[in-house]
Amino acid sequence: MHTARLALHQKKGRIEVSSEPSGQANKATTKVTIRLHAADNVVIARKQLVSGTLLADEQVSVVGLIPAGHKIATRTIEADEAVRRYGQIIGFATQVIKPGQHVHTHNLKMGDFERGHAFCSDVRPTDYVAAPATFNGILRANGQVATRNYIAVLTTVNCSATVARAIADHFRRDTNPAALAAYPNVDGVIALTHGIGCGMDSEGEALAILRRTLAGYARHANFESVLIIGLGCETNQINSLLSTQGLAESSHLRTFTIQDTGGTRKTVAKGISMVTEMLASANKVQRQPLPVSHLVVGLQCGGSDGYSGITANPALGAAVDRLVRHGGSAILSETPEIYGAEHLLTRRAVSAGVAGKLLERVSWWEDYCVRQKAEMNNNPSAGNKAGGLSTILEKSLGAVAKSGSTNLVDVLEYAAPVQVKGLSFMDTPGYDPVSATGQVAGGANLICFTTGRGSAYGCAPAPSLKLATNTALWQRQEEDIDINCGGIADGDVDIDTMGEQIFRLMIETASGVKTKSELHGYGQSEFVPWQIGVVM
């Protein structure tokens, strides 16, 4: 097995996805399949193929119907033999697979094999640019830099969710435009509610994760001010939340409970009054040119398909490489979705300690699945499989491409703050709202989200850019997607050029240009802290 770093490159009219040692790639412009590596025993269908279609370069005829984005065997694959894509193992044949046959879940299984982790072997000096780019950001008094300017209503417990939403709804520009008419520099008042906060161990990991998440949001640069509301008798007491997380009340952080205030109507009225007092200060902000080094971009992929690891993910990786060279930071996450590809990251870790921390998180997930009587291969989802992904190994290899080729500088617990410039990995589930919530709590002020099956995800307070992996999706769901990376598979654009476009779109969005999801009003319901442990 080739254990070297997965490198993804694109030249005009040619797709080349290879790992060292390098493989030869085929032109994709006029061909019906994509070969990703010389060592692969499958190719990828660029469109739906019918039985009898000749794959001239492979000297193979298609057997049966092959959906777009799915795999076709290029030679006989014996039972239990490794199936390779990107030059890497994505699973093992459950039966003899003949040339031209469809390779998917019906004849492909997971299996154990040796991975060459080779700690730090691919670490390279970062080639920082001489004149870093800038964006029009918001400089806070404490030195933090924001891409948006919101006021937040947070809750300690689900019991205060309804009043929090009622307070935020009073300031909605679509239903009550007068409330914010005098405050054009305020992006909005949002309520971020959740379903937990009580019925949990007061000293346990679950409560610690929730408090870390809420504290990350309370400190987030994109919030000028924050109001925290509790019920009063919950496990997640406001005083304990503040003290354990090093927070303190101020003019920018106010708290109270429903029980102390005297009920729902009084709580809503008090909350509206407090937010109104915060608006004048929030409206004073002005955008100014600031270095891109202040950007922290959360990397997500959801509704992935067979094109994700060929188009949008490597293009986003090219943008991340640019971001890091300009001094910025990115967060790769979704631990179950790097499973089987973690060796590509340990090779890029700046120290054995960082690499070891990553493997510790992978081991935690293996144990967690055993305890929950689940399998890591329960991921991919049904939609992923319909799009051509067969195993978590295959999905992970494509998912890691979002991180580009830059060094891995740190590994973080869920919702922990980013401390080091560059690429960090945050341990999160693969479920996108939960994962992105952790990234934003860690300081992400922008999200980039690739999708092949289609997504309507949005995030608040960090704007979310969505990237389509294929042109058919872009044409079908353009109202929700911000940029089309399908031209890579179509042979119209190369990965590096698309990476530059994504990087420029990051800068525009961070400067205040609204994303499609922001225009639709997404973001508040997508706040989903990771719920772990026993609910009592």
Side-chain angles (χ1 to χ4, degrees):
M1 170 185 176
H2 298 312
T3 57
R5 171 174 44 185
L6 192 69
L8 298 105
H9 306 288
Q10 167 77 17
K11 297 181 180 178
K12 185 66 176 177
R14 187 177 77 176
I15 292 176
E16 179 184 347
V17 183
S18 61
S19 66
E20 299 167 355
S22 177
Q24 296 298 314
N26 290 324
K27 293 182 180 179
T29 322
T30 60
K31 297 177 182 178
V32 296
T33 61
I34 300 170
R35 170 168 283 279
L36 301 176
H37 192 277
D40 290 351
N41 46 18
V42 296
V43 291
I44 313 302
R46 294 181 62 239
K47 61 181 181 179
Q48 181 172 283
L49 301 178
V50 298
S51 188
T53 302
L54 176 65
L55 310 183
D57 282 346
E58 308 297 337
Q59 290 300 297
V60 166
S61 291
V62 171
V63 178
L65 186 69
I66 311 293
H70 283 240
K71 298 175 290 298
I72 310 160
T74 58
R75 62 170 178 79
T76 299
I77 304 173
E78 301 294 342
D80 296 321
E81 182 180 349
V83 175
R84 293 180 183 272
R85 173 178 174 160
Y86 308 109
Q88 305 280 333
I89 294 174
I90 63 169
F92 298 86
T94 60
Q95 62 193 56
V96 175
I97 305 173
K98 296 180 179 179
Q101 287 187 331
H102 188 199
V103 179
H104 198 36
T105 54
H106 63 288
N107 55 14
L108 185 62
K109 66 179 179 180
M110 288 279 285
D112 292 328
F113 59 96
E114 184 66 28
R115 297 170 178 80
H117 292 108
F119 288 7
C120 314
S121 61
D122 283 344
V123 172
R124 300 175 182 174
T126 301
D127 182 22
Y128 292 106
V129 300
T134 62
F135 72 103
N136 287 326
I138 299 166
L139 181 62
R140 301 293 188 196
N142 63 2
Q144 288 184 295
V145 171
T147 60
R148 293 293 184 269
N149 187 41
Y150 285 102
I151 290 174
V153 185
L154 302 180
T155 60
T156 59
V157 66
N158 177 253
C159 308
S160 53
T162 297
V163 297
R165 286 194 296 268
I167 293 164
D169 284 349
H170 173 79
F171 297 94
R172 284 177 54 172
R173 283 194 166 97
D174 56 345
T175 58
N176 186 20
L180 292 181
Y183 309 102
N185 295 329
V186 178
D187 287 304
V189 178
I190 56 176
L192 299 177
T193 64
H194 55 89
I196 48 180
C198 203
M200 56 204 313
D201 182 359
S202 61
E203 303 297 328
E205 184 180 12
L207 183 57
I209 289 175
L210 175 60
R211 285 176 170 170
R212 191 162 65 236
T213 304
L214 291 172
Y217 274 73
R219 291 191 178 96
H220 200 282
N222 284 7
F223 289 132
E224 200 277 341
S225 293
V226 174
L227 175 61
I228 301 177
I229 302 175
L231 174 60
C233 58
E234 63 270 19
T235 302
N236 188 28
Q237 290 284 296
I238 288 177
N239 289 340
S240 296
L241 169 65
L242 299 184
S243 63
T244 60
Q245 302 304 311
L247 297 171
E249 287 211 49
S250 69
S251 59
H252 296 280
L253 177 60
R254 306 285 298 279
T255 72
F256 69 98
T257 70
I258 297 171
Q259 291 171 354
D260 286 344
T261 304
T264 299
R265 183 184 58 80
K266 293 178 182 178
T267 296
V268 173
K270 183 174 181 177
I272 290 172
S273 176
M274 284 185 170
V275 170
T276 301
E277 293 172 5
M278 296 171 172
L279 285 169
S281 173
N283 194 58
K284 292 178 182 178
V285 303
Q286 296 291 330
R287 289 185 178 270
Q288 59 183 288
L290 296 164
V292 164
S293 59
H294 290 293
L295 289 186
V296 181
V297 179
L299 311 176
Q300 291 289 322
C301 54
S304 300
D305 68 353
Y307 296 113
S308 295
I310 302 172
T311 61
N313 286 358
L316 179 53
V320 167
D321 285 345
R322 284 172 168 78
L323 176 67
V324 172
R325 289 200 300 271
H326 283 257
S329 301
I331 311 172
L332 181 67
S333 297
E334 302 175 293
T335 314
E337 295 185 13
I338 62 129
Y339 185 73
E342 62 272 13
H343 60 291
L344 302 177
L345 293 170
T346 57
R347 299 176 69 94
R348 292 158 51 189
V350 294
S351 70
V354 169
K357 284 169 67 176
L358 181 64
L359 295 186
E360 286 175 5
R361 300 320 302 162
V362 171
S363 295
W364 183 93
W365 275 94
E366 291 175 329
D367 293 341
Y368 180 61
C369 284
V370 170
R371 295 197 305 273
Q372 300 298 323
K373 298 181 180 179
E375 297 180 6
M376 292 294 277
N377 204 43
N378 286 346
N379 185 338
S381 68
N384 297 152
K385 292 174 182 176
L389 297 174
S390 306
T391 67
I392 188 56
L393 302 176
E394 180 179 15
K395 185 177 181 180
S396 293
L397 289 165
V400 167
K402 299 193 301 295
S403 64
S405 61
T406 190
N407 297 335
L408 178 66
V409 299
D410 202 2
V411 174
L412 306 169
E413 293 184 355
Y414 183 85
V418 171
Q419 304 280 10
V420 186
K421 296 286 187 181
L423 174 70
S424 295
F425 183 86
M426 178 181 286
D427 180 28
T428 77
Y431 184 39
D432 306 303
V434 178
S435 180
T437 295
Q439 291 177 332
V440 175
N445 49 20
L446 182 66
I447 300 291
C448 283
F449 187 118
T450 68
T451 183
R453 302 291 294 171
S455 170
Y457 175 82
C459 188
S464 176
L465 287 168
K466 291 192 293 298
L467 291 65
T469 72
N470 62 86
T471 301
L473 169 62
W474 169 257
Q475 293 171 341
R476 185 172 66 250
Q477 202 176 334
E478 184 178 349
E479 68 175 21
D480 293 313
I481 310 294
D482 297 280
I483 190 168
N484 177 31
C485 299
I488 295 170
D490 299 336
D492 298 330
V493 66
D494 58 79
I495 286 175
D496 192 61
T497 299
M498 184 57 65
E500 176 67 19
Q501 292 179 24
I502 295 168
F503 178 60
R504 294 300 163 188
L505 186 58
M506 288 179 183
I507 292 174
E508 291 177 10
T509 304
S511 298
V513 176
K514 291 190 179 298
T515 65
K516 297 284 183 69
S517 62
E518 287 180 290
L519 294 174
H520 286 305
Y522 282 93
Q524 295 186 83
S525 298
E526 289 73 16
F527 175 73
V528 188
W530 189 7
Q531 183 173 344
I532 191 171
V534 176
V535 177
M536 304 298 288

